[in-house]
Amino acid sequence: RLSPRRRRRRGPAAEGSSPRDGGSMRCQVSVLYFARSAELAGLRCETLSVPREITSLQLWEEIVKVHPRYA
């Protein structure tokens, strides 16, 4: 067991938002672009804010929203 000082907080409270108060749990993802994808995006890397639980397909869809040339 962890001591009271070192206990990890779980769930929405750890993220500083709660589904009850309309908060959404999001995280920051660093996306690195190489070769042709870097040319199409016009940059080598960026940080996207995405839902905390996301599939690779959903992440791809978020990237295409930001960079429609990938479609």
Side-chain angles (χ1 to χ4, degrees):
R1 281 178 62 160
L2 297 174
S3 69
R5 282 187 324 195
R6 298 194 56 184
R7 271 194 197 137
R8 292 185 186 180
R9 295 174 68 187
R10 296 178 187 233
E15 297 301 314
S17 64
S18 168
R20 287 177 292 211
D21 66 10
S24 63
M25 295 188 353
R26 299 184 70 80
C27 63
Q28 302 294 311
V29 175
S30 295
V31 182
L32 306 177
Y33 300 104
F34 299 92
R36 182 71 176 139
S37 62
E39 291 175 18
L40 291 172
L43 44 93
R44 296 268 181 208
C45 63
E46 69 181 328
T47 302
L48 298 178
S49 176
V50 297
R52 186 170 172 98
E53 292 186 21
I54 189 170
T55 66
S56 57
L57 177 59
Q58 291 169 327
L59 177 58
W60 174 251
E61 291 168 346
E62 291 292 320
I63 293 170
V64 171
K65 284 180 193 174
V66 176
H67 303 286
R69 295 177 69 185
Y70 285 166

